[in-house]
Each structure stands twice: as structure tokens, then as C-alpha cells.
């Protein structure tokens, strides 16, 4: 009854909720167990070793929750060491970087791909590394956009500041002739409108959230892990920080009232 | 796939672990989700209204955990309002009082039944009420044994103090001619040896933990809720207080290393 189990998503905080939203859209029959490490976010500025230690604790917890698949729904956590997590978890596990890169390679005509993300993700060179491995001839232009997360978290998505900041970050990518832009942070789909209007209509935007769920679906299908029934689903949302602000954010993003509980890791 | 779900047990702290132990023995194929309200124990001295409020929060949490059956594995919580919980939970739910009383009625020859429990349970009159409803002619002798929980929690089960305290609590019940004694607190099976030697060989001891699991099994069987497979089971243990001391106690009682996590209720 492996396919009856839940799909686990882990994130440094609320960003992974865009992946949850995609799960609801693309895999509406799947149960979700979400862990948002809100007490220790953001992961971006932390060392890879520290982030890996956090993710190990979360994987330990998720493995008590009867899950069949783990999505590392956070670019910073993925960049910090996807191969380590794969070794630790005795479950299929997918990060958010490779699905985005694969989709971008399919879309690009000019061979000029842009990627935007947090400072941690961009400075890690993780996207560069994956792209070099998959398609050595393609040019990658990368830009850290640290203010984007703050704009989302502070509900400034539709402000003139958002447009100015977007122009500052993205103008040069547009001018370089990038024809495909990977939104390499799970927060960014929430800024899709302003990013699209800044980049112009000719540029394809790749949502790593959307692509990751698409690949999750493909892998689960291949392994016979998809859940068939259309019954009432209980999703489980856990956070390491206070539950109330997370619930508010989730209500706004998912247009759904969820229950969320604070769990203390570390002594488990 | 209702029968694939877990059986939930809730308790004010560690006492319900004796019910877990019985679950492992009688229902080894069932997954368990345990909630021990260790941050707010003991329930015994609190008002019924307060205890019901705590139990409502726990039921809310347990209902996010995909469970098919709820055992209120705590006499004080059961005494505080089983009918209220049945109304709140849209699941089959069983307390620990009625199963113990039913078993005692089957065993007694003299018609003199004893019950021991925490002050909260004994003073609530819950056992008296259930017995009056089920068998109005039977005599019930009840004794609060508040030190028993402390003896268990402080690992004094095999001490001379335990024997002296047992004689003080139980001597008069033996002398009254009680032939069946309900251990009306989930901690007490851990003191079974000293209780047995104090009461003498002619007195039958009823473990409410054992009887509750027996009835759980019968009800689940009748409803088609038993789980068939013999696969690897992940149990989930949650506490409202610190996880480490709970884990130690569980390791001693269950002879098993479990993972346990602290969950903060109230904001869920």
C-alpha cells in the first residue's frame, strides 16, 4: 500500500507553498506532509553544512510520517547537498534545481538561459554546475534577487517598488538576449506578473515549482506510487516556528484554510 | 482504505504507554499515533472543563494524522467527558473506563469490585456511574492511590516503600472481600506485582489497558477496520512537553527506541 502514503515537501519556510499549490493542481489526489523550517529560515545565507544538518533532522521527522516521496522544495536546501539527502533517505527524493534546468533546456532557442534566486542559491553555483553537466554549450546568466523574497513576504507584489526592483535585477538579463528565465526560488512564481512584464513577451519563464511537481508526477507514475482514490484528504503542515503566521500566509497563497502545528526538532 | 489508517491514543503523559504496550501485543499490525500531553499533566487535579478543552485540542490534532480510531487512553480524560469527545470526533472512539468495568463484571463472584485510580478519576465518580448503569446490584469500593503514579515515574516499583504504600491503600479493600480489582489508571499495570502480592492470590486484577485494547480490537474487527499487512510500521509519538524524557520512559516501558516529537498545540 506504498501508494497510499503521502508526498513530503520540505522548505526553509513558506516558499515551498508554491510547490504545494502546484501539487494541488497537478496531483490533487495526493496527501501532502509539509515541513517549513520557519524558525531557522532563511537558509540562503547559511553554510551548506549547517543547512544539510537542518535538512537531515527534517528528513528524520518526515520518515515518521509515512511518506513515499520527498520533494526538497527549496532551492537553497537543494543547492546545499541533494546527493547527501538521497543517501540518507531510503525513499525517492527530488530537488527543485534539475527539473527547472531540464525545462529551460527544452525551451531555449538562443542557448542563453537566465536564472534568478536567493544569494545562497546563486552563489552556490548549483545551477551552473547542473547546467554544465547537462548541456555544456549553453550560456547561463545568473542574478541573485534577495529583495524578491522580502517583497513577497511583505505583500508588496503589486507595488511600484516591485517594478523598480525587478527592472534593476532583470534589465541586463533581458538586454543580454536571455530567452528563457528560471525562477530558481519557490517564492518567485508569486512575482510572475512583474517578472514577465519586465522581461518582455518573448522570454519564457520557468517555474521550478511547476517543473518539480511535473517530474514528481512522472517519477511516481513510473514507480507505481500514484494514489488513485478521490476521497477526502487530510494534509499535514508542520513548522518549526509559530504556527499562526504560517497559517495566514498559507491561507493567502492556497486560498484554503489549513491546520498547521509547530514541531520542535532536535530531540526527536 | 480506511483500514490502512492508524489507531490514535491520547493520554495526559506517559501512562497511556501501557496501552501502547498492549497494542503491540494484541494488535501488532496496527500503526499507532500517540499524543501525550506531558506539558499539562497531570490531568487528575484539574477541572473537567479544563481537561475537556485539552482533549478537544488533541482530537483536532489527531484528526490531521489520518487515524481511524481514537482511544482515550487516560482514565482522568475519560472521566472528564467521554460523551463530549464522541460528539466532537467523527470517528469511533473508546475510553478506558467501560472496558475495565465490563471485564470486572464478568470476573466477580462475590459482587464486590474494587477500583483504584488517581484522585481525579476516583473523585469524579465516573466508575461508580458506569457501574450503576451496567449492574446496579454490584458493590463498588473505590480508593484513590495518588502515590502510585509517583512511584512509577520515579522508578521505585521494586522498593519497600512501594509495598508499604500498597498495603496502606489496598489492605482495607482486601479485608472487605473485594474479589476483583480494576486498575483504573494506565500507570498501574507497572505495579502489578506489588498490587497482586498485597491483594492475595484470590483477587483478580483487571488492567484497563488490556481490556481497552481487547475492545478496540473487537470494535475494529466488527467495523472492518483491522489492518492486514505485516509490513514495517512507523509509529508516531508526539508530546506537548520535551521529547527527551518521554523517549527515555518509552524505552524503559516498551523496550523499544522510538522517535518522539514535541508539538505545540493551541495555534493549530
Amino acid at each position: 500500500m506504498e501508494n497510499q502514503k503521502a508526498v513530503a515537501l520540505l522548505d526553509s519556510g513558506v516558499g515551498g507553498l508554491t510547490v504545494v499549490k502546484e501539487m494541488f493542481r497537478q496531483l490533487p489526489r495526493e496527501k501532502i506532509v509539509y515541513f517549513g523550517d520557519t524558525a531557522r529560515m532563511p537558509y540562503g545565507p547559511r553554510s551548506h553544512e549547517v543547512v544539510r544538518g537542518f535538512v537531515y533532522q527534517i528528513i528524520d521527522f518526515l520518515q515518521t510520517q509515512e511518506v513515499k516521496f520527498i520533494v526538497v522544495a527549496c532551492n537553497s536546501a537543494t543547492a546545499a547537498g541533494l546527493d547527501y539527502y538521497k543517501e540518507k533517505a531510503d525513499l525517492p527524493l527530488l530537488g527543485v534545481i534539475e527539473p527547472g534546468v531540464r525545462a529551460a533546456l527544452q525551451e531555449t532557442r538562443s542557448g542563453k538561459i537566465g536564472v534568478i534566486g536567493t544569494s545562497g542559491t546563486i552563489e552556490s553555483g548549483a545551477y551552473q554546475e547542473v547546467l554544465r553537466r547537462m548541456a555544456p554549450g549553453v550560456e547561463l546568466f545568473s542574478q541573485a534577487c534577495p529583495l524578491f523574497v522580502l517583497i513577497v513576504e511583505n505583500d508588496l507584489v503589486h507595488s511600484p517598488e516591485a517594478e523598480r526592483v525587478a527592472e534593476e535585477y532583470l534589465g541586463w538579463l533581458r538586454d543580454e538576449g536571455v530567452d528563457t528565465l528560471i525562477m530558481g526560488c519557490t517564492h518567485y512564481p508569486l512575482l510572475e506578473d512583474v517578472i514577465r512584464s519586465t522581461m518582455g513577451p518573448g522570454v519564457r519563464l520557468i517555474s521550478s515549482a511547476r517543473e518539480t511537481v511535473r517530474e514528481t508526477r512522472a517519477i511516481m507514475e513510473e514507480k507505481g506510487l500514484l494514489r488513485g482514490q478521490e476521497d477526502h484528504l487530510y494534509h499535514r503542515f508542520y513548522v518549526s516556528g509559530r504556527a499562526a503566521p504560517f497559517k495566514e500566509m498559507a491561507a493567502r497563497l492556497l486560498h484554503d484554510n489549513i491546520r498547521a502545528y509547530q514541531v520542535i526538532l532536535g530531540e526527536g
Side-chain angles (χ1 to χ4, degrees), chain A:
Chain A
M1 291 294 143
E2 193 67 12
N3 68 339
Q4 290 303 311
K5 295 182 175 175
V7 177
L9 290 90
L10 71 90
D11 181 53
S12 62
V14 300
L17 287 170
T18 59
V19 185
V20 173
K21 200 171 179 180
E22 280 298 324
M23 287 287 303
F24 286 177
R25 209 173 58 85
Q26 295 188 42
L27 290 167
R29 295 178 184 175
E30 297 295 331
K31 291 177 281 194
I32 290 170
V33 175
Y34 185 92
F35 194 97
D37 201 359
T38 54
R40 303 189 289 201
M41 75 145 202
Y43 281 181
R46 296 186 190 266
S47 80
H48 284 188
E49 264 145 346
V50 167
V51 170
R52 282 200 296 269
F54 293 170
V55 174
Y56 288 166
Q57 288 183 328
I58 298 170
I59 290 176
D60 275 343
F61 174 75
L62 291 172
Q63 286 187 325
T64 69
Q65 298 290 310
E66 271 198 286
V67 300
K68 60 187 172 186
F69 196 97
I70 298 179
V71 179
V72 181
C74 170
N75 281 270
S76 305
T78 303
L82 193 67
D83 290 339
Y84 290 89
Y85 316 145
K86 282 186 179 159
E87 209 165 296
K88 175 160 178 70
D90 46 3
L91 289 172
L93 183 147
L94 185 66
V96 281
I97 293 179
E98 295 191 8
V101 171
R102 269 189 286 267
L105 287 173
Q106 236 173 6
E107 291 292 335
T108 186
R109 299 285 168 269
S110 68
K112 291 181 170 184
I113 294 175
V115 62
I116 55 178
T118 64
S119 306
T121 300
I122 296 303
E123 284 161 22
S124 74
Y127 273 94
Q128 289 83 341
E129 199 186 303
V130 168
L131 199 73
R132 204 174 313 130
R133 204 174 64 226
M134 289 187 188
V138 166
E139 265 184 290
L140 184 72
F141 300 85
S142 60
Q143 172 70 48
C145 306
L147 285 179
F148 275 178
V149 170
L150 297 174
I151 286 170
V152 171
E153 299 267 1
N154 292 291
D155 209 10
L156 292 168
V157 167
H158 300 289
S159 67
E161 296 95 297
E163 280 173 42
R164 273 199 300 278
V165 167
E167 177 60 31
E168 195 153 311
Y169 285 150
L170 307 176
W172 75 277
L173 293 170
R174 183 192 55 221
D175 300 342
E176 278 286 353
V178 156
D179 73 345
T180 306
L181 180 68
I182 303 171
M183 297 185 285
C185 171
T186 48
H187 278 81
Y188 295 178
L190 302 165
L191 283 165
E192 194 163 334
D193 288 350
V194 64
I195 294 172
R196 191 177 298 283
S197 75
T198 309
M199 294 301 290
V203 174
R204 287 171 188 83
L205 298 190
I206 306 292
S207 151
S208 54
R210 194 176 310 141
E211 300 305 329
T212 300
V213 174
R214 184 180 297 177
E215 293 199 8
T216 297
R217 185 187 180 137
I219 297 168
M220 294 212 305
E221 195 149 21
E222 193 264 329
K223 291 187 185 285
L225 288 177
L226 287 180
R227 199 168 164 276
Q229 299 112 279
E230 292 193 63
D231 50 359
H232 180 72
L233 293 173
Y234 282 107
H235 304 297
R236 278 167 264 161
F237 289 87
Y238 301 103
V239 281
S240 56
R242 286 188 52 222
F246 179 83
K247 281 175 64 183
E248 274 171 44
M249 192 71 184
R252 243 189 300 155
L253 289 192
L254 304 175
H255 307 291
D256 206 355
N257 284 317
I258 59 155
R259 281 187 182 286
Y261 289 95
Q262 183 177 2
V263 168
I264 312 300
L265 298 178
E267 279 193 351

